[in-house]
Amino acid sequence: MEWLADPTAWAGLLTLIVLEIVLGIDNLVFIAILADKLPPSQRDRARIIGLSLALVMRLALLAAISWLATLTTPLFSVAGFSFSGRDLILLVGGLFLLFKATLELHERLEGSGHDSGNRKVEAGFWLVVTQIVLLDAVFSLDSVITAVGMVDELAIMMIAVIVAMAIMLLASKPLTRFVNAHPTVVVLCLSFLLMIGLSLVSDGLGFHIPKGYLYAAIGFSILIEAFNQTARRNAIRHAARRPLRARTADAILALLGGRRTSPGSDEASPAVPPSAFAEEERHMVSGVLTLADRSVRSIMTPRSEISWVDLTAGAHELRARILDTPHSYLPVCRRHFDDIAGVARAKDLLADLLETGSIDTSHLRAPIYVHESIPILDLMDVLRDSRGQLVLVTDEYGAVLGLVTPVDVLEAIAGDFPDEDEAPSIQLLAPGQWRMSGSADLRHVEQALDLSSGLAGTGYTSLAGFLLTRFAELPPVGAWLDHEGYRFTVSELDDNRISMVEVARLGDA
């Protein structure tokens, strides 16, 4: 043990430990990839068995240094190439490594999984252990030959191998966890194994590839992968700044084959066959997920379309007015809509007219008001408490902008449910041709036309609002606007608003 007092021996020991760890990384990576085939409960056992066998093999080979020396003696020659025992081991090991790495790459790229049945898992465990043993034999030979060339003392060689294997055993689990969590790293490691296999085959054939070239290529690839992982983490961190609900909605809409609410905000999702979900299902799910992002103005009945009852009108006019509307609840006003006395059911108003010839204001319900900025989810609570009564929407100055009922919320999800006195807001006249009301909800227009970009903007929620914003003035009848392959033509005006629009696909017009 005189080498204990020799600084040169200690320097050689440290150098050899580093080299043994470096030479063992490829073995460690391959063990991690093979262990991934097994159930989580068996991976640690396979890893420990694999590294223990590697340690035993390396110590046994070190103890048989004299036998290793004979492995370099040529055994036979073929076509001018002399093959020794070492050459044959390297050649067979390299070919096996090329075959196994190629097979693993094929499974990873093709996406084929591993069967996890009970009997097959047990057989797979020992198959994995056998593969680890074969690879250990090849990698151990390379490691031991390096140790023999570095130092002369057998004790130094064995200490270096034991220390290196202990460090690798401690690092094997974190490395396996990291490899399994990053699929791109697995592919990168398999490409390293292909390169190492090629190096072993070339060494077996007598063509030595300097290890510095291999390590330089591996180091450069690891650096690029580190940049890639950093960019990925930054992208995930940036996406996490968006609300969880918005990210979840985007992911579900992408899976359903619908347009995302925030294009480009998420990674590509797997393609869904067109027949997997019906168009109505996609529209309804999209309506539910985007409900919280919509304003009350986008679903309410505007003031100009509200049916109401004038208390000052005669009994005959009131009766005709009530019978002419299909609504069950009506606002009751005095002379004009801004002076609302209350809200009543149509059948109660008819009962008052039949009994007394006038409307009893004591039977009126107090109107419920909400501000236009109220979230729709909060509005649903108000509607639930109103027990079916309509709710009036006002602006910041108290002016009534419209009214909303539970049916309006349902229409925002499932599309129009037109009353008896109104036509659908969107009518398909012929393939590629539609007739749309100016008050049509822009979201329903987008769904009907399958537009890739949204029409909605700030300050408007209807088709008429979109056109007025583009024209910047009230357009005359016949004015048209082209947008994303569709022509929008104003066909009817009602006083100072666009009441009807003809839409045609330009390719079909």
Side-chain angles (χ1 to χ4, degrees):
M1 304 294 289
E2 294 83 2
W3 61 270
L4 291 175
D6 186 2
T8 305
W10 284 99
L13 175 62
L14 295 177
T15 304
L16 187 55
I17 290 175
V18 173
L19 286 177
E20 291 292 327
I21 293 175
V22 171
L23 292 174
I25 288 177
D26 46 11
N27 190 15
L28 193 60
V29 169
F30 203 81
I31 291 176
I33 294 174
L34 290 176
D36 185 41
K37 295 175 176 290
L38 301 173
S41 60
Q42 297 182 354
R43 291 174 186 170
D44 288 342
R45 188 157 63 102
R47 203 164 42 240
I48 294 174
I49 290 176
L51 291 175
S52 301
L53 290 174
L55 176 60
V56 171
M57 284 188 179
R58 294 184 187 189
L59 292 178
L61 290 175
L62 284 174
I65 293 179
S66 59
W67 175 74
L68 286 177
T70 63
L71 293 180
T72 58
T73 304
L75 301 177
F76 59 90
S77 299
V78 176
F81 292 96
S82 298
F83 293 95
S84 63
R86 175 182 177 275
D87 295 334
L88 292 177
I89 294 176
L90 293 179
L91 189 61
V92 173
L95 291 175
F96 175 77
L97 195 59
L98 286 174
F99 168 76
K100 192 59 185 176
T102 303
L103 188 62
E104 289 291 329
L105 268 177
H106 180 268
E107 290 183 357
R108 301 282 175 173
L109 297 179
E110 291 295 327
S112 56
H114 307 292
D115 196 337
S116 59
N118 292 335
R119 296 181 62 184
K120 292 188 177 181
V121 166
E122 184 177 357
F125 175 81
W126 293 111
L127 178 63
V128 168
V129 171
T130 302
Q131 295 176 16
I132 291 175
V133 171
L134 294 177
L135 264 297
D136 281 341
V138 177
F139 289 125
S140 296
L141 183 63
D142 187 27
S143 174
V144 169
I145 291 175
T146 301
V148 172
M150 281 288 300
V151 296
D152 298 326
E153 295 289 341
L154 180 61
I156 295 178
M157 299 180 194
M158 290 190 171
I159 292 175
V161 169
I162 294 174
V163 173
M165 293 304 296
I167 294 175
M168 291 171 59
L169 186 61
L170 293 176
S172 62
K173 191 168 184 177
L175 178 63
T176 302
R177 187 164 53 245
F178 177 80
V179 168
N180 293 338
H182 299 82
T184 56
V185 174
V186 177
V187 176
L188 184 64
C189 292
L190 288 173
S191 66
F192 292 163
L193 294 177
L194 285 175
M195 187 165 54
I196 294 171
L198 178 62
S199 173
L200 294 177
V201 171
S202 65
D203 280 347
L205 294 175
F207 300 99
H208 179 67
I209 299 177
K211 294 295 180 66
Y213 293 162
L214 299 181
Y215 294 152
I218 291 175
F220 180 76
S221 300
I222 293 176
L223 180 63
I224 297 300
E225 180 63 21
F227 290 155
N228 181 38
Q229 293 295 332
T230 302
R232 184 181 180 86
R233 283 196 299 270
N234 291 337
I236 294 174
R237 189 181 302 113
H238 177 72
R241 296 175 184 172
R242 299 176 58 237
L244 177 61
R245 183 191 175 279
R247 285 179 279 147
T248 304
D250 283 347
I252 295 176
L253 288 176
L255 289 173
L256 290 174
R259 182 175 54 83
R260 294 178 180 176
T261 57
S262 301
S265 62
D266 199 2
E267 295 183 357
S269 298
V272 177
S275 60
F277 296 92
E279 183 177 2
E280 293 79 7
E281 292 176 318
R282 293 198 301 271
H283 290 171
M284 290 180 65
V285 174
S286 174
V288 171
L289 294 176
T290 59
L291 196 61
D293 299 327
R294 303 181 64 183
S295 65
V296 175
R297 291 187 59 183
S298 67
I299 68 171
M300 73 179 185
T301 301
R303 175 183 178 131
S304 59
E305 299 180 7
I306 295 177
S307 299
W308 56 280
V309 174
D310 185 3
L311 277 176
T312 62
H316 179 73
E317 181 182 350
L318 285 173
R319 182 175 179 276
R321 177 77 172 177
I322 296 172
L323 292 176
D324 187 52
T325 178
H327 307 298
S328 57
Y329 275 90
L330 294 170
V332 180
C333 310
R334 299 183 180 90
R335 296 189 182 278
H336 53 82
F337 185 70
D338 288 318
D339 189 2
I340 300 177
V343 176
R345 291 185 296 183
K347 66 177 185 178
D348 294 337
L349 297 176
L350 287 174
D352 287 344
L353 291 175
L354 291 175
E355 292 178 3
T356 63
S358 62
I359 296 176
D360 186 356
T361 56
S362 63
H363 295 164
L364 300 180
R365 301 186 183 186
I368 300 175
Y369 296 95
V370 295
H371 190 262
E372 61 177 330
S373 63
I374 184 175
I376 293 183
L377 296 181
D378 293 340
L379 173 67
M380 293 173 65
D381 292 333
V382 177
L383 290 171
R384 189 179 296 111
D385 296 337
S386 70
R387 298 183 181 275
Q389 181 177 332
L390 59 85
V391 175
L392 298 171
V393 182
T394 63
D395 62 10
E396 58 182 319
Y397 303 106
V400 178
L401 302 177
L403 63 81
V404 63
T405 65
V407 176
D408 294 319
V409 179
L410 181 60
E411 287 183 340
I413 297 174
D416 282 341
F417 292 90
D419 295 322
E420 295 179 2
D421 62 340
E422 63 180 9
S425 60
I426 300 176
Q427 304 177 58
L428 179 63
L429 303 179
Q433 295 184 2
W434 296 264
R435 181 178 176 85
M436 301 184 181
S437 170
S439 61
D441 184 4
L442 282 179
R443 180 178 168 275
H444 296 159
V445 174
E446 294 170 5
Q447 291 178 346
L449 303 182
D450 195 21
L451 291 175
S452 58
S453 63
L455 299 175
T458 57
Y460 61 88
T461 58
S462 65
L463 178 59
F466 166 74
L467 294 177
L468 287 172
T469 301
R470 292 302 181 95
F471 284 118
E473 61 180 0
L474 183 65
V477 173
W480 53 268
L481 170 71
D482 290 343
H483 179 78
E484 286 203 12
Y486 292 92
R487 174 161 294 179
F488 298 82
T489 305
V490 178
S491 59
E492 293 182 19
L493 295 176
D494 184 6
D495 295 332
N496 59 346
R497 70 186 184 95
I498 300 174
S499 59
M500 201 62 64
V501 180
E502 302 286 342
V503 182
R505 188 182 294 112
L506 291 178
D508 301 332

